[in-house]
Amino acid sequence: MLLMRKHLLLSTTFLCLLTLALPLIAQRQQSVPQRQAVYISFAEARPVLSALDEILPAALKGKTEQQLAALWPAWVKQRDDEIRARLAQGDDDSLINFLLFGTSFTKQPRVALDQITRLKSLGQPVPGAQPREAEQLNRLLSARIDDLLQSLNSPGGNERLLFARRILVNQNRFQLPTPHGREKAAAFLRAGMNRVLSENAGYARALEAAQLLGDPTEEFAERSRLFRSRGLASDTSIFPNFALEEALKSIQARGLFAPGSVRRVAIVGPGLDFTDKQEGYDFYPLQTIQPFAIIDTLLRLRLAKPNELQLTTFDLSPRVNDHLARTRQRARAGQSYVVQLPRDLTAPWQPETVSYWERFGDQIGAPVAPVTVPVAAGDLRIRAVRIRPSVAASISPVDTNIVMQRLELPPAEKFDLIIGTNIFLYYDNLDQSLAMMNIERMLKPGGLLLSNNAMLELPFFKVHSIGYSATIYSERPNDGDTIVWYQRAPD
């Protein structure tokens, strides 16, 4: 199996567009009921707790059924709080990526990925690395830190700088105008970089151990839980959406979805582009991409009809939910949504990947002039698509922790399709299994869950894997995704 790899890409800006779409938008909005997520009950979770008794957390382990039932309401709320608290660490990770690879606050070159991977921590080269290389990297990082902290004194309307300022000034109380405050902030950033380097080394060791198992299925399963102790990040990318389109083509060929049959879709963790070490950039506004990509694909394959398709997003990040809520609100006022699609010309993309990039958005919008690419961003080609307001207005964000929560839906409102890419690897087997129970109760019989993670399949689940598809993105090693197809059985 091809093994998943996480990327980052894309951005958004809002522009006024045609008001002719307003009647359709209003009709679409009225048809989407606003619901709140509910916690999974003990009765629903009991089979999972029984099957996974050996790996239960200490608070639940060794308890009788009566004790578990009494503990459950408090425990599920506490577990929800614990998972949501991981957002703060994910924000710190995003800040470090912004520091290393951002171009909007500095004229210094981006830090090369191989520079990072060849260092255990700042100033501590791995065998084979030259001392001068560590010194050069330290000088580059010092310059980038100085430029970032200077920019935070006057962030203007830059969303990423405002985000960084919130972490350093509002949360950590660093007084950036003072030398002492800048020194403490710089130390905080360097400690964060060392933490990220250490964590990345740990992930590399875990993957090496998985490869030694000699079983591709077991290796894929280990990768699917790799970030179970990592902060929750809102990274997003164009690449998994290409893999999803390829999967839906295969699903269509198998007759699992009839033409025009997909009406209700959910995305778990739609993502928000901030910046990243690979295809993500920061010279355009923050944007989401997967909701638009999925609508685009379903319309291209004629699996959905434009006037019938409704899409719900589930996310526990206030930043992601707020971005989508504002997108929906502006769309109802007739404003469109512009997606920027950069392509690194030095990266050896597969021809099929390039073709997907070139046609992205042709079902839901029209090409427009992209933003200007700064010199520091490298050798890029960029295209932009203006998404129609009626499309953006069809997206309904719901604050949901998929591990602990779901929507309580009548049969007619259950989902035909649920998407979850680069999401479940942030959870262990217990969390994934509880998430699967929540997904099961939101899927229609015959409905599909598509994910690039291998989920533990317990015998009593009504959602089981029925196939998979593999997609290669580029000539880089292990650069692709395996999309597993899970189908809900009849009641």
Side-chain angles (χ1 to χ4, degrees):
M1 277 189 173
L2 267 178
L3 304 175
M4 62 75 55
R5 180 178 177 180
K6 197 165 186 181
H7 301 277
L8 237 149
L9 180 70
L10 308 157
S11 101
T12 62
T13 187
F14 297 102
L15 298 173
C16 291
L17 194 61
L18 305 174
T19 58
L20 296 176
L22 286 175
L24 175 59
I25 296 170
Q27 179 183 359
R28 187 86 53 92
Q29 298 306 316
Q30 292 170 3
S31 66
V32 182
Q34 297 300 309
R35 299 180 181 275
Q36 289 187 336
V38 298
Y39 285 120
I40 186 171
S41 70
F42 173 70
E44 294 161 344
R46 180 172 53 186
V48 171
L49 301 180
S50 177
L52 303 181
D53 177 68
E54 293 185 1
I55 63 170
L56 291 181
L60 301 180
K61 197 171 183 63
K63 301 294 191 296
T64 66
E65 184 170 324
Q66 291 78 10
Q67 290 172 325
L68 285 173
L71 287 170
W72 185 254
W75 184 84
V76 74
K77 178 62 170 64
Q78 177 183 345
R79 182 60 182 148
D80 179 35
D81 291 341
E82 291 171 351
I83 292 173
R84 290 174 183 270
R86 293 169 63 189
L87 288 168
Q89 184 181 337
D91 285 349
D92 287 348
D93 292 345
S94 294
L95 175 59
I96 297 304
N97 281 340
F98 182 46
L99 170 64
L100 296 175
F101 312 113
T103 59
S104 62
F105 61 88
T106 182
K107 294 182 179 179
Q108 297 293 330
R110 302 175 91 200
V111 178
L113 182 59
D114 60 352
Q115 288 179 286
I116 295 295
T117 55
R118 283 152 59 189
L119 295 175
K120 289 182 179 178
S121 64
L122 303 181
Q124 298 180 12
V126 297
Q130 299 298 320
R132 180 179 298 178
E133 185 178 8
E135 294 174 4
Q136 292 173 341
L137 178 59
N138 268 298
R139 286 197 298 270
L140 173 59
L141 290 173
S142 294
R144 292 184 70 89
I145 288 173
D146 289 344
D147 288 348
L148 176 60
L149 296 181
Q150 182 65 34
S151 297
L152 294 186
N153 287 321
S154 302
N158 186 308
E159 292 179 274
R160 292 171 178 85
L161 288 176
L162 290 170
F163 166 82
R165 183 176 175 85
R166 177 172 62 81
I167 293 177
L168 294 175
V169 177
N170 297 357
Q171 294 181 7
N172 290 281
R173 306 296 181 183
F174 297 136
Q175 302 297 319
L176 299 185
T178 69
H180 179 65
R182 287 193 298 273
E183 183 179 338
K184 292 181 65 176
F188 174 84
L189 291 171
R190 285 185 172 272
M193 287 186 284
N194 279 324
R195 175 184 58 78
V196 169
L197 288 169
S198 177
E199 289 176 354
N200 288 343
Y203 299 141
R205 289 192 296 270
L207 290 178
E208 289 175 1
Q211 291 170 349
L212 292 176
L213 296 174
D215 184 338
T217 301
E218 289 296 324
E219 182 181 350
F220 185 43
E222 176 58 30
R223 285 177 177 267
S224 296
R225 302 185 297 270
L226 186 63
F227 294 158
R228 54 189 175 270
S229 60
R230 185 177 181 174
L232 299 179
S234 60
D235 300 346
T236 188
S237 168
I238 194 174
F239 292 101
N241 301 301
F242 171 42
L244 287 166
E245 178 160 298
E246 295 299 292
L248 285 165
K249 287 180 182 177
S250 299
I251 287 166
Q252 183 181 45
R254 288 261 301 266
L256 297 175
F257 278 144
S261 64
V262 180
R263 296 179 177 86
R264 294 183 57 81
V265 179
I267 295 178
V268 182
L272 189 62
D273 180 15
F274 193 83
T275 191
D276 188 57
K277 59 183 175 293
Q278 211 119 37
E279 280 76 18
Y281 298 92
D282 67 323
F283 58 86
Y284 44 70
L286 291 176
Q287 67 182 14
T288 189
I289 183 167
Q290 190 159 70
F292 300 118
I294 296 304
I295 295 173
D296 191 46
T297 285
L298 291 172
L299 296 181
R300 180 176 298 113
L301 301 180
R302 303 296 186 263
L303 292 174
K305 299 177 181 178
N307 60 339
E308 294 182 356
L309 184 59
Q310 299 173 3
L311 190 143
T312 302
T313 61
F314 297 132
D315 207 298
L316 46 71
S317 167
R319 288 198 300 128
V320 173
N321 291 330
D322 178 66
H323 182 88
L324 289 166
R326 287 186 286 111
T327 296
R328 175 181 165 96
Q329 182 180 20
R330 291 171 178 174
R332 295 180 69 181
Q335 294 181 337
S336 59
Y337 189 102
V338 176
V339 176
Q340 307 287 337
L341 304 167
R343 175 190 165 201
D344 183 354
L345 295 179
T346 66
W349 285 17
Q350 294 290 340
E352 296 81 5
T353 310
V354 175
S355 178
Y356 176 78
W357 174 78
E358 290 174 339
R359 68 176 178 267
F360 181 96
D362 61 6
Q363 303 296 307
I364 59 175
V368 293
V371 298
T372 301
V373 178
V375 175
D379 189 9
L380 300 181
R381 179 174 297 167
I382 187 167
R383 59 184 298 263
V385 178
R386 177 179 292 161
I387 309 298
R388 292 190 295 272
S390 59
V391 174
S394 70
I395 301 171
S396 302
V398 181
D399 183 291
T400 309
N401 175 355
I402 195 62
V403 173
M404 296 286 110
Q405 296 175 307
R406 69 168 191 277
L407 293 184
E408 195 70 71
L409 299 171
E413 295 181 14
K414 291 191 175 182
F415 296 106
D416 303 293
L417 174 65
I418 297 179
I419 302 290
T421 54
N422 296 335
I423 290 298
F424 300 114
L425 78 167
Y426 285 90
Y427 300 105
D428 60 19
N429 279 333
L430 174 60
D431 286 342
Q432 287 185 357
S433 297
L434 293 173
M436 189 67 93
M437 293 293 283
N438 284 321
I439 289 170
E440 175 183 304
R441 281 158 174 75
M442 294 191 293
L443 269 177
K444 290 181 179 178
L448 296 180
L449 163 68
L450 302 183
S451 177
N452 57 356
N453 299 134
M455 306 282 278
L456 182 66
E457 299 183 46
L458 297 174
F460 50 83
F461 283 170
K462 293 182 179 179
V463 178
H464 291 282
S465 58
I466 59 168
Y468 68 91
S469 53
T471 302
I472 299 174
Y473 302 141
S474 77
E475 297 176 9
R476 294 173 296 202
N478 296 324
D479 192 18
D481 264 316
T482 295
I483 302 295
V484 186
W485 318 342
Y486 299 89
Q487 187 175 48
R488 192 196 189 283
D491 291 323

